[in-house]
Each structure stands twice: as structure tokens, then as C-alpha cells.
Amino acid sequence: MYHWTSDPRWLLYEQDGDGDENWHIYRVDLENPDAEALDLTPFPGARAVGLETTPSRPGKALLHLNHRNPVEFDLYELDIATTELTMLAQNPGQVAGLLYTPDGKLFTHTLTDEGDIALSRWDPETGARPPVATFDGSDYPLDIQPFQLTPDGTGAWIGSNRGSDRTRLVRLDLATGAESEVDSHPTLDLDPRSTVFPTLPSPLILDRRTGELIGVRYLGERQVIHPLTPHFADVLKNLTKLSDGDLAHMSSDDSGQRWVVSFAHDRDPGVTFFYDHTTGRSRLLFRPYPHRDPDSLAPMTPLTVTARDGLELPVHLTLPVGVEPAGLPTVLLVHGGPWHRDSWGFDPSAQFFANRGYAVLQVNFRGSSGYGKKFLKAGIGELAGKMHDDLIDAVDWAVEQGYTDPDRVAIFGGSYGGYAALVGVTFTPDVFAAAVDFCGPSNLVSFLRTVPEFVRPHLINNWYLYAGDPADPEQEAQLWERSPLSRVDDIRTPLMVVQGGNDARVVQAESDQIVAALRARGVDVEYMVKADEGHGFVNPENNIDMYRAAELFLARHLGGQTL
């Protein structure tokens, strides 16, 4: 993740060590580009999180560090030019996050024993923490997002679904805790994707110079942007003419007249333009993948499938180019989280498999985010249950529509999607001709007992609520029943398992144990471990190895093409 600073000399980026998720902040000197990047948080084993720069404090950045105590993140201010780190507040314990206003006020963000999210004003001298606002934690499995201080520090823009099925944008008054609506959409949630992948754009579009709110992003089948100022409305009208994709990253000069914008697109990803609002002129700056011909790539089509209990499921279908869309081998590509979602745009995995002749089906099963509170909470207690039924119902739909050959369906997923792949070959082994599990948990009990220590208090509104708490014997038994490892003897589907050796979220033992159990039965299973990767692969050579192996594996069992 890269960050421009107020001084064009300095570029910051965040980097971990071989996927261990111990993020450090590095500085690049653009006046001396041959010099090595400088580690500004050089503390072994520590994590720097929540890096934030604001127009009100040029040359400074706020961040949280846990080098004093691995389970407590303290608040620091970084002087980008001098590299000096100044502690602004030491975590008083059991505090998930610290909020620091421009005039020096401190607020704590905590979880109650019941899982509610509490925001309190904190006086470090007296220790007093009078409450400001409390939120039902079950409504926010990944915490409240966005949570952005207003420039004057008297409020925060937050995504709220209080009293509503949809997540809208409100201003939270930090003195009274009162919410006042800023903007909403009648049928769509605020775009939630940056909660899971912070490299994606925030739903809040801010003025470069003042930090004031000028636009809000919502996401349905496609993105919808609401402009909040007349000037940005005029700019937006012209920006959207540059591409038929969805506006992704946007930046401007201080005047808001000159813009650089990129677009999300299913076949022309990341195409980037310069636009001058003073003259109305624009020009293409670059395509990040100039060797790709957009016409040779496969369109992604948003559709809706009805589950067996009547719930409407948003899905995306990608069909190979130049092939009759009938009786195709099919890859069911399952997203992670599970509190994430698939969306229209360029998906490298979907394009890869479509290029090899597969139909690719992606399902936003119940429990996926961004489709309202009711859809999200329909996933509670449904791992290996109705969440999996949704996947099967979508496959059945694709078969009924004639797209899919029912005897040639594979399931492929990473993280929760890897778990779903393992559930597929254990709970519904007759549906799939092959499966690829990429860093998925095989045993929910051991998975939840090996997550990093500082993460565990935050599981109450997601994994503990949706799946169970292994500290409770009854819930532990239920977790085991929903674990693929408990049904390993039912596996008869060809399986490929892929794992990062440094994975801090789903440790290697989760893959080792199911591979060992299968090999003990004499069952052949392909197993790839990359020692220099974490939760998902980043290094190009490892991704090439993995996809090449998956291509050959699926070709053997589904009859797809290889190159």
C-alpha cells in the first residue's frame, strides 16, 4: 500500500516480511531514487497499522504500533521528514483503537463483553472514559467502516445501519453521540470493499486541500457515486465520460481542477486518465497491462439467482470468449471473508479460467457484505449449511440454464473460499469433479485457536457469532461438525491444496492436517507450500507456479484447456 505525502519528495509504503503481516512503514526519497527505502518503524515482530495523513497536519502521519506490547496498539505521530516517532497515547488496555482529534482530544474504541462497540472520550490524566456512543456489534462483523474524522475534529463520518437494513453515511457528533444523516441510497449500501482490501478506494471521496467530503460511493451491480458539492458534480459528469468502467482511484491538485483517475473494468482494468476541468480536456495516461487486448478478455455479467429458500443471490458469470456457452466445464470461484463480496470488474482468476475454456461462476452467498444487514445476518450459524447451499443452488441454476456440464464442475477458493472448497468435497462430494483449496481452514476449532493473540478479542462479532467459540464445549462440538476435517473420510473428489508458510491467519497446520489425513488413507492429494508467502500469494513466481499447477490439475479432471 502506497501513500503520497504533503511533500512530493517523500513516498510512503507499507510492507510486511514474506507474508507475516507484520507491516512496517517505509519511506522512499524521490530526490534520490537509487537510495534504499528507509524503515520508519524498525521494530522486529511489530505491526504498524492505521497509517493516516491529514491536510491539517502536513508532514505528519498518525499510526498505531504494538512494539511495546503485542496485544496493545499505541498511538504515534510520525514526522515524515525527520523520521521522529512521538507517542501520543499509550493504550490503556483492552482498547481496539485510539482516535486523536486536531485539537488533541482522545477517544477510545472498545468492545464490550457483549460485543457492542463503544466510543468513549478519554482523559489519560484521570483515566476517565465517559461514553459517547454505543453500537450493536452484531451489525458490524468487521467493525464500523468507514470511520473518518471530520476536518474540524468535532465529528466523524461513519457507515451506520442503526435502525435500517442499509448502511448509509452519517455524521457522528463526538460531543453528544448524536447521528445525523449525510447521505444515503434507497437500495444500496456504502461500498464496503476497502474494509477487507484497503488498497481499494474508500467509499468517502474527500477534497484534496481541505479534507471535506465531496462524494460518496455505493455499490450494487455497478458503482453509484453521489456528488455532494456542485463543483465535484460537474467534475464527475466529465470523468464518467472517459471510460465505461467504474471510477476507482481519484486524485486532484489542491484546486480540484486537475485530476488523475483510474477505472475498474472487467476487461480494461486500471486504465488511467488525466483530466483538466478548467479546459475540459483529457488524455489517456496509461494502461497498466498494455499487452492485454480488452476484446480478447471475457465479459463479466452480474445476475441474480434465487436460493432454495427464496433468498435472492447476486452472482457474476464469466463465459469464455468464442465458445458456444453450453455444457461447459465450470469453475465455482468462492470469495473469502466470508464478510466480503465479489463485484463487477477485472478478476484475474476468472479471466484465467475463462481463457482456458471454463465458465466461471461467482456467488455472493448469504453472509456476504454490502447487501444489507438482513442478507449479512442470514449467514449466522450457516457455515457448511445454507451458506454452502447457496453455492450449490447457483451451480444447479447454471446447469439448468445450459451453461454448465454437471459432471465437470470444480470449486476453487481462498481463505473462507478455501474452506468452502473443502466443505464442497466433504459435505457435497457428488457435486464436484475437482477442488482447489487455497489457504482455507480445515478444522474450525484449531483455526480459531491459532489466530494471532491480538485478533481474538475482535472475533466476537464475526467468527464467534457466525460459527462458534471453541472455548464453549457445546459450540466447540458444533465447530467440529462443520469442519471438513471431521468428514475427511468422505473425500473422493480430486483435491489440490495450496498454502503460504508464513500465513498468520490460517496457519500451515490447517492444510498439513487434512493433507496428512488423506495421505494416511492412501488418497492422492496435490500439495503446494510456498515458504515466503502469507495469507494469499504476492510474489509473481509463486502465483505463476500455483496457477500453472491449478491449470494442469483442472485440465486432468474437467477437460479444460492448457497453454
Side-chain angles (χ1 to χ4, degrees), residues 156-477:
W157 294 307
I158 69 171
S160 174
N161 55 33
R162 194 192 297 271
S164 168
D165 185 57
R166 295 293 173 181
T167 300
R168 62 195 183 281
L169 183 65
V170 305
R171 181 187 182 279
L172 177 72
D173 190 300
L174 294 180
T176 67
E179 292 183 15
S180 54
E181 183 171 304
V182 175
D183 192 62
S184 64
H185 190 284
T187 60
L188 303 180
D189 280 356
L190 290 175
D191 185 344
R193 294 172 297 174
S194 63
T195 302
V196 177
F197 292 105
T199 53
L200 295 175
S202 165
L204 307 184
I205 303 171
L206 305 179
D207 183 277
R208 168 70 180 273
R209 180 177 59 83
T210 66
E212 290 291 347
L213 188 68
I214 59 174
V216 184
R217 301 174 192 259
Y218 299 88
L219 190 64
E221 288 189 352
R222 295 285 297 270
Q223 177 182 254
V224 175
I225 295 178
H226 284 180
L228 300 185
T229 67
H231 174 70
F232 183 62
D234 287 341
V235 169
L236 182 64
K237 194 182 307 179
N238 290 332
L239 294 179
T240 55
K241 297 175 183 176
L242 299 176
S243 166
D244 60 352
D246 287 348
L247 273 164
H249 291 284
M250 293 185 275
S251 64
S252 76
D253 62 1
D254 284 349
S255 71
Q257 294 297 115
R258 292 179 294 178
W259 294 76
V260 173
V261 297
S262 65
F263 286 84
H265 197 285
D266 59 346
R267 289 164 292 118
D268 194 10
V271 59
T272 301
F273 292 87
F274 172 81
Y275 166 70
D276 188 330
H277 191 59
T278 303
T279 64
R281 294 177 180 173
S282 62
R283 70 176 186 272
L284 174 69
L285 290 179
F286 64 90
R287 284 184 162 85
Y289 310 106
H291 58 288
R292 287 186 182 145
D293 177 6
D295 292 335
S296 71
L297 299 179
M300 176 185 282
T301 304
L303 300 162
T304 300
V305 171
T306 303
R308 65 190 69 178
D309 64 356
L311 186 66
E312 292 193 341
L313 307 172
V315 305
H316 293 86
L317 180 65
T318 304
L319 297 172
V321 175
V323 177
E324 179 68 24
L328 296 171
T330 297
V331 175
L332 175 64
L333 191 59
V334 187
H335 71 67
W339 308 279
H340 185 45
R341 61 175 282 175
D342 290 311
S343 56
W344 181 86
F346 182 77
D347 186 309
S349 297
Q351 291 293 339
F352 180 84
F353 292 124
N355 181 260
R356 270 57 172 178
Y358 300 95
V360 181
L361 186 63
Q362 296 171 275
V363 184
N364 283 312
F365 46 85
R366 68 195 68 205
S368 301
S369 62
Y371 295 102
K373 192 160 53 177
K374 182 179 179 182
F375 190 91
L376 181 73
K377 290 189 172 184
I380 293 175
E382 296 298 342
L383 273 76
K386 291 181 179 179
M387 290 169 70
H388 188 66
D389 290 345
D390 292 345
L391 300 178
I392 303 303
D393 292 347
V395 170
D396 290 344
W397 170 86
V399 172
E400 292 167 3
Q401 297 298 310
Y403 297 121
T404 293
D405 178 348
D407 296 324
R408 295 192 295 162
V409 180
I411 182 170
F412 184 116
S415 193
Y416 172 84
Y419 165 79
L422 295 176
V423 168
V425 298
T426 50
F427 286 72
T428 54
D430 295 332
V431 176
F432 300 105
V436 180
D437 154 36
F438 189 7
C439 61
S442 63
N443 180 347
L444 294 175
V445 178
S446 56
F447 158 62
L448 289 171
R449 285 179 173 159
T450 54
V451 297
E453 187 177 358
F454 69 86
V455 172
R456 293 176 193 174
H458 307 284
L459 299 179
I460 188 169
N461 293 321
N462 42 70
W463 282 103
Y464 291 167
L465 175 61
Y466 281 72
D469 183 349
D472 180 303
E474 183 177 346
Q475 294 181 44
E476 180 187 12

